[in-house]
Amino acid sequence: VDSPPSDFGSGQMFDMIAGRYDMINRVLAMRMDVKWRIDMVERVAQRVPENALLLDVATGTADVALLLSQRLPKAKILGKDPSNNMLDVGRQKVNKQNKKEKILLETGDAQDFSSLETSYFDGGTMAFGIRNVPDRQKALCEIHRVIKPNGVFCILEFSEPDESTGVMGFLAKLFIRHIIPTLGGILSGKPREYLHLQNSIKDFPSPKDFATLMEGLNCGENNGKFLVEEVKQMNFGSVQLYVTTPVQN
């Protein structure tokens, strides 16, 4: 299979794998991804009012949006994603759980939230999406603009474990490099798409470097950035939960 370009992870790519995306995720992560998302949702829930307005960036099939609504039944959640087919799957799940009045799913690119008001949301989430954004700084600044100052923004993302994670981290790296593209390609029938997912993890900055990027932003007139309060290591260093607060310099 030819290696796809680094900017391959667009909404169109996810349109190709949307139908089996949830099933393949559960298989590849052995359902551990559900717990990772629950941990992120809990961090947000502890920091926002019961009737919060929340933004789920790269909402995909709405897994996180639904968990947020289950944890905060009075909250209203906007999910944004560039893949129409992923959103269609998400809307089916939202309808099945009778959450249409609380969750709205819209097509949208994280690099351009010009349709959203400044300082509108109490908090936000982004699960396994930031590594697929071509201009991460632009997207993070857009997210910074629409979340209230001193709100909360949490990111879940993969990275390749480093040497400090020991034998289990080494095995997790092998799993990411070889099992994910092979098994994902077999289950989806789209090997190039799952090779991209492996490449995007390999090319993503280390947790330390990504936290430095978030804290080194200069967004807008007030040179806004994110204060990274916690980086929680999960799954032998292959998954990180970044808990951050939008602040002004």
Side-chain angles (χ1 to χ4, degrees):
V1 178
D2 292 337
S3 184
S6 59
D7 60 353
F8 188 63
S10 64
Q12 188 175 12
M13 187 207 87
F14 283 92
D15 283 340
M16 300 286 290
I17 59 177
R20 296 184 178 182
Y21 184 80
D22 284 348
M23 179 272 290
I24 294 169
N25 268 3
R26 299 299 101 83
V27 171
L28 292 178
M30 295 172 281
R31 293 196 62 83
M32 290 186 293
D33 60 309
V34 177
K35 182 182 184 303
W36 303 335
R37 289 180 173 89
I38 289 172
D39 282 355
M40 178 171 70
V41 165
E42 189 59 33
R43 290 295 202 287
V44 173
Q46 292 170 359
R47 296 269 298 272
V48 300
E50 289 185 358
N51 61 343
L53 297 171
L54 300 172
L55 175 66
D56 184 33
V57 186
T59 194
T61 62
D63 275 349
V64 172
L66 286 164
L67 287 171
L68 284 167
S69 190
Q70 291 164 14
R71 178 62 176 81
L72 295 164
K74 296 179 182 179
K76 290 196 174 182
I77 299 137
L78 174 63
K80 286 276 198 178
D81 197 277
S83 169
N84 289 314
N85 289 357
M86 295 280 277
L87 291 173
D88 284 343
V89 174
R91 290 185 185 105
Q92 294 173 21
K93 291 158 66 174
V94 169
N95 292 341
K96 188 174 181 180
Q97 294 192 29
N98 297 314
K99 292 288 188 178
K100 282 195 298 183
E101 294 184 2
K102 298 296 183 182
I103 299 174
L104 174 64
L105 303 180
E106 291 182 347
T107 306
D109 184 340
Q111 298 164 114
D112 181 10
F113 284 157
S114 55
S115 63
L116 301 179
E117 295 179 31
T118 298
S119 301
Y120 183 75
F121 297 96
D122 296 292
T125 51
M126 190 174 192
F128 308 114
I130 191 64
R131 75 180 190 279
N132 291 311
V133 178
D135 191 336
R136 293 179 191 129
Q137 293 194 38
K138 186 175 182 180
L140 289 168
C141 282
E142 279 291 270
I143 294 164
H144 184 282
R145 181 182 64 79
V146 301
I147 295 179
K148 294 175 182 177
N150 301 314
V152 59
F153 178 57
C154 291
I155 291 178
L156 265 178
E157 194 49 272
F158 290 110
S159 70
E160 284 205 339
D162 62 23
E163 294 79 10
S164 68
T165 56
V167 173
M168 296 305 293
F170 176 74
L171 293 175
K173 182 187 288 189
L174 290 179
F175 187 85
I176 291 169
R177 287 197 174 184
H178 302 290
I179 304 302
I180 284 181
T182 302
L183 186 55
I186 291 170
L187 292 174
S188 68
K190 304 291 182 183
R192 199 161 186 248
E193 282 70 11
Y194 276 86
L195 181 57
H196 164 75
L197 293 181
Q198 179 262 315
N199 285 341
S200 68
I201 296 169
K202 175 172 62 70
D203 295 338
F204 192 70
S206 69
K208 181 180 179 181
D209 287 346
F210 185 62
T212 298
L213 184 152
M214 295 189 78
E215 294 197 323
L217 293 170
N218 287 292
C219 301
E221 295 178 358
N222 296 317
N223 298 320
K225 63 182 181 181
F226 289 93
L227 176 63
V228 179
E229 299 176 352
E230 179 186 3
V231 180
K232 182 178 179 180
Q233 298 287 343
M234 302 174 172
N235 203 43
F236 311 111
S238 65
V239 177
Q240 285 76 38
L241 170 60
Y242 301 86
V243 182
T244 79
T245 298
V247 296
Q248 305 293 342
N249 282 332

